[in-house]
Amino acid sequence: QTSTWTPAVDAAGAYAYTGGRLTVHDLLTGAVLNEINDPSFQNYVYEIGGSPVLGAAGSVFVANYQNSALNGGAIGNMLLNFRTATNSIAWQEPGAYPTTPGYQSEVVYAVNNIPFRLEARAESDGTLLWWWTPPHPGDGQFISEVLLTENLAFVSTNRATYAIDLETHRPVFSYPVFGKLALSANGVLYIQNATDLIAINLK
């Protein structure tokens, strides 16, 4: 049994990574359309802590996010790319990936706590295209999912929230509050943690 997982949905089906396998379900009946095993899965805490991310047609990114925090990251986890057309795992990358990544234009953007960096990886084969490391000594771990716009990646550490330019790979914005992130349609960034909800008008 696993909990704290969320499915992803497109016109082809509902995608669930519950540990040990990715299953694709028919949207109307719930019937299993596809199932791909994950031999790297290790069930320590019976929680996933995130969602699959859909890339190009038939491409799905997952990780067992909750494992990233075990033993200070020493156990770690795998960032995987499933291919539903061939019932296979295209590639997998070890690290300590704590939260759901973002995807845009054949690139997956994932935060990694070991090594400590935001990573941009090619969808095709997982090649590391570029990375960015938070600059402050007090930054020790990533807290938020990767929030993407057309030109920026927003991430939150245990100390602050940053926006990284996807072209220059440099930070263009920071705010000394950390938490989960959301962006409204009219450009308001919300940062939520255990005690506060901050709204920042980015325009």
Side-chain angles (χ1 to χ4, degrees):
Q1 176 182 325
T2 57
S3 60
T4 69
W5 54 271
T6 302
V9 177
D10 65 10
Y15 303 77
Y17 179 72
T18 56
R21 67 186 56 83
L22 175 76
T23 54
V24 186
H25 297 265
D26 184 274
L27 295 178
L28 295 180
T29 68
V32 175
L33 302 175
N34 211 345
E35 187 172 82
I36 308 171
N37 289 329
D38 171 15
S40 72
F41 177 73
Q42 294 178 299
N43 198 3
Y44 294 107
V45 294
Y46 301 92
E47 297 179 359
I48 301 300
S51 170
V53 171
L54 305 181
S59 174
V60 185
F61 302 94
V62 306
N64 186 11
Y65 304 104
Q66 293 290 64
N67 277 8
S68 68
L70 298 177
N71 289 3
I75 291 178
N77 56 13
M78 291 277 187
L79 178 65
L80 299 100
N81 179 244
F82 287 101
R83 300 297 169 89
T84 59
T86 56
N87 286 353
S88 63
I89 296 174
W91 54 266
Q92 55 187 23
E93 186 66 33
Y97 295 94
T99 61
T100 303
Y103 172 84
Q104 183 172 267
S105 302
E106 301 182 347
V107 178
V108 61
Y109 298 88
V111 288
N112 192 352
N113 282 334
I114 300 176
F116 184 49
R117 62 194 184 187
L118 166 67
E119 299 177 348
R121 292 188 175 274
E123 179 177 31
S124 58
D125 59 6
T127 297
L128 184 62
L129 304 175
W130 59 269
W131 71 90
W132 172 80
T133 299
H136 195 276
D139 292 312
Q141 60 181 327
F142 288 103
I143 301 298
S144 73
E145 293 81 9
V146 179
L147 190 158
L148 289 177
T149 69
E150 289 185 359
N151 64 320
L152 298 173
F154 289 87
V155 295
S156 185
T157 68
N158 59 298
R159 193 192 67 87
T161 297
Y162 299 92
I164 314 305
D165 189 289
L166 299 182
E167 291 294 329
T168 67
H169 315 155
R170 296 179 179 276
V172 296
F173 166 88
S174 65
Y175 191 80
V177 172
F178 65 89
K180 299 296 185 179
L181 306 178
L183 185 65
S184 75
N186 59 352
V188 177
L189 176 68
Y190 295 95
I191 308 172
Q192 178 262 325
N193 56 42
T195 59
D196 299 297
L197 176 63
I198 308 295
I200 302 171
N201 188 352
L202 298 178
K203 294 183 176 180

